[in-house]
Amino acid sequence: MAKAPRDSKHHEARHKHGEEMEFRIAARRNRLLGLWAAEKMGLAGDDAVAYAKEVIASDFEEPGEEDVFRKVMADFRAKEAAVTEAELREQMFTLLTTARNQLASEK
């Protein structure tokens, strides 16, 4: 028996909402990551906010988060910031959870 069109539309709407939430979570994580990285590189105020926007924009280069990782790690190296790849990956994971929790609490 075929599913009613209503069920299909409901499923599509839920899927779209899920994708939108994942996008918002990633963008929030990237903003938080940018602010954290800016602090590690000695940036503050408007410079830190501008850097966080660069980090958010870097996520549009390719699917996944490796583009963000490469950008931030390259910037750390250029600024000679003492942050390892493992520390950056751990912070990305931690901030993803933070972003998810923040957005969930804003509902």
Side-chain angles (χ1 to χ4, degrees):
M1 186 162 121
K3 289 190 174 194
R6 182 173 173 256
D7 290 339
S8 177
K9 287 182 181 185
H10 176 73
H11 176 73
E12 288 175 23
R14 285 186 57 207
H15 180 72
K16 182 178 179 184
H17 176 73
E19 286 180 344
E20 289 171 0
M21 278 304 296
E22 288 306 310
F23 175 82
R24 291 179 64 210
I25 290 166
R28 173 76 59 99
R29 186 275 315 269
N30 292 339
R31 182 178 61 81
L32 295 170
L33 181 69
L35 294 172
W36 172 81
E39 182 180 334
K40 295 288 185 183
M41 293 185 286
L43 302 174
D46 290 343
D47 291 335
V49 171
Y51 183 75
K53 289 178 182 178
E54 287 179 28
V55 173
I56 293 167
S58 74
D59 199 19
F60 296 109
E61 293 176 15
E62 63 188 46
E65 61 185 25
E66 285 305 302
D67 44 0
V68 173
F69 175 83
R70 281 192 307 272
K71 188 249 186 305
V72 175
M73 199 69 234
D75 293 342
F76 280 152
R77 288 180 179 135
K79 294 278 191 176
E80 298 180 358
V83 178
T84 67
E85 289 185 7
E87 289 172 319
L88 175 55
R89 289 201 186 276
E90 182 178 330
Q91 191 67 14
M92 289 175 75
F93 178 78
T94 299
L95 291 175
L96 186 64
T97 301
T98 300
R100 190 177 306 279
N101 292 339
Q102 285 179 356
L103 286 170
S105 71
E106 291 174 8
K107 286 184 176 185

